[in-house]
Amino acid sequence: EVHLVESGGGLVKPGGSLRLSCAASGFTFNDAWMSWVRQAPRKGLEWVGRIYIKTNGGTTDHAAPVKGRFTISRDDSKNTLYLQMNSLKTEDTAVYYCTTYDKGAFQIWGQGTMVTVSS
Amino acid sequence: QSALTQPASVSGSPGQSITISCTGTSSDVGGYNYVSWYQQRPGKAPKLMIYEVTNRPSGVSNRFSGSKSGNTASLTISGLQAEDEADYYCASYTSSITLVFGGGTKLTVL
């Protein structure tokens, strides 16, 4: 069974940093394009970014609101996806979901991890 | 990239059909067949219901169908059931090589 489990969320002060992890199982992780999507409290879904597989260069795309502050990476040897978040702002407060990305869609979702940015 | 436009809410009675629209531009919905739809129940993670405009993942009921005309995509749910009550989001690939979601639609089953 395909599983994505996020971890690393918590409370952080504005300007601080946090690294989220997403452990994958049940599929060939190094063949999967992956993405992060977030959802602020009582708000809609927002795409954060995407990482390609190594054979596609392992390149990343990030949404404008997080570009230059957030970095997506992957460790295929550990079947793990990461989201490094720096210079955090209060508006980054959200549940962060890890997803697989295929055929232009977010196919499989994790349960999410909550990030709260507050002083 | 602006969010795609969805109605804030729709409602229907059990057994009826409802349609949720998702309007974008020629740079997203109208330009690519990478429109997808997600169902999100309260407190749960979203679930993919439709991808590539019309395709259903394995396990999704055939009561759910998708379509597109110009810059507007649509999700139709036929034979409405109480369990269909949820928030629904559309998403599209864009010419900026990004992804964009709609604002979400709350479906109420009367």
Side-chain angles (χ1 to χ4, degrees):
Chain A
E1 187 180 356
V2 176
H3 256 109
L4 296 172
V5 180
E6 302 92 338
S7 61
L11 175 63
V12 61
K13 288 182 167 52
S17 297
L18 208 57
R19 188 177 81 157
L20 306 183
S21 299
C22 170
S25 60
F27 64 101
T28 306
F29 181 74
N30 58 13
D31 281 343
W33 292 13
M34 301 294 296
S35 193
W36 288 96
V37 174
R38 69 183 180 182
Q39 186 171 33
R42 296 169 299 282
K43 297 293 186 181
L45 301 172
E46 181 183 22
W47 178 71
V48 173
R50 172 184 56 202
I51 186 165
Y52 297 83
I53 59 177
K54 289 291 193 286
T55 52
N56 291 144
T59 55
T60 58
D61 299 305
H62 295 83
V66 307
K67 195 173 292 188
R69 300 188 300 122
F70 290 13
T71 302
I72 297 174
S73 62
R74 62 191 300 158
D75 186 336
D76 291 345
S77 68
K78 296 182 178 179
N79 287 353
T80 301
L81 177 72
Y82 300 102
L83 179 64
Q84 177 66 45
M85 303 185 294
N86 299 329
S87 303
L88 281 160
K89 305 175 181 180
T90 55
E91 53 263 42
D92 295 319
T93 294
V95 174
Y96 284 74
Y97 294 102
C98 161
T99 83
T100 61
Y101 179 75
D102 188 25
K103 297 182 172 67
F106 307 102
Q107 300 274 345
I108 304 296
W109 297 64
Q111 86 290 349
T113 187
M114 182 70 202
V115 171
T116 302
V117 184
S118 174
S119 54
Chain B
Q1 186 74 35
S2 299
L4 306 175
T5 301
Q6 297 182 233
S9 64
V10 297
S11 62
S13 300
Q16 287 185 330
S17 293
I18 63 96
T19 296
I20 300 172
S21 61
C22 170
T23 302
T25 69
S26 58
S27 296
D28 39 63
V29 174
Y32 305 93
N33 285 327
Y34 288 132
V35 176
S36 51
W37 289 90
Y38 304 86
Q39 176 192 67
Q40 187 178 33
R41 295 194 172 104
K44 300 295 187 182
K47 174 187 175 184
L48 177 65
M49 306 301 283
I50 297 286
Y51 67 97
E52 290 178 327
V53 181
T54 61
N55 295 326
R56 272 188 315 276
S58 174
V60 172
S61 170
N62 60 10
R63 297 185 299 104
F64 291 82
S65 63
S67 63
K68 189 181 82 166
S69 177
N71 297 336
T72 299
S74 299
L75 173 71
T76 298
I77 308 174
S78 59
L80 208 56
Q81 299 179 2
E83 67 195 42
D84 299 331
E85 187 161 291
D87 293 329
Y88 291 84
Y89 294 89
C90 62
S92 175
Y93 181 80
T94 83
S95 59
S96 303
I97 321 178
T98 60
L99 284 299
V100 63
F101 282 96
T105 298
K106 181 177 180 60
L107 169 62
T108 300
V109 180
L110 302 171

